[in-house]
Amino acid sequence: MKRILFSNWHLMRYFRLAFALFLFFQAYETKQWFFIAFGIFFLFQAIFNMGCGPNGCNITYKNQKDE
C-alpha cells in the first residue's frame, strides 16, 4: 500500500490531484456540492494511480486462430 501511494508519480497523476482539489474548492465557493463527488472520483484515481493506462482504455484481446 505504501509503495502504491508514494511511487510512480507522473504528470497525469499530478493533474488528477490538482483537478480534484480544484473541484473541492469550486464546491465550497459556489455551494454546489455535487462537485465533491467528481472531486472524490479524481482524488481516488490520483491516490491509487487508477485510470486509463498508456494504451488508453481499450481492452486487449488475444488473437485466436480458427482450427
Side-chain angles (χ1 to χ4, degrees):
M1 180 69 158
K2 191 176 186 180
R3 185 179 59 84
I4 292 172
L5 294 177
F6 296 113
S7 66
N8 198 20
W9 281 87
H10 45 79
L11 180 64
M12 197 63 206
R13 203 165 169 188
Y14 284 117
F15 179 76
R16 288 182 188 128
L17 180 63
F19 193 58
L21 295 176
F22 171 75
L23 288 171
F24 290 142
F25 178 74
Q26 284 293 11
Y28 178 75
E29 285 292 314
T30 62
K31 306 288 190 267
Q32 295 183 9
W33 303 112
F34 66 92
F35 282 128
I36 290 178
F38 295 111
I40 290 171
F41 173 74
F42 284 105
L43 183 66
F44 180 78
Q45 282 189 336
I47 290 175
F48 295 109
N49 197 20
M50 299 183 80
C52 295
N55 295 332
C57 294
N58 297 331
I59 299 172
T60 57
Y61 295 101
K62 292 183 179 180
N63 292 335
Q64 297 178 355
K65 291 184 178 181
D66 294 334
E67 293 182 23

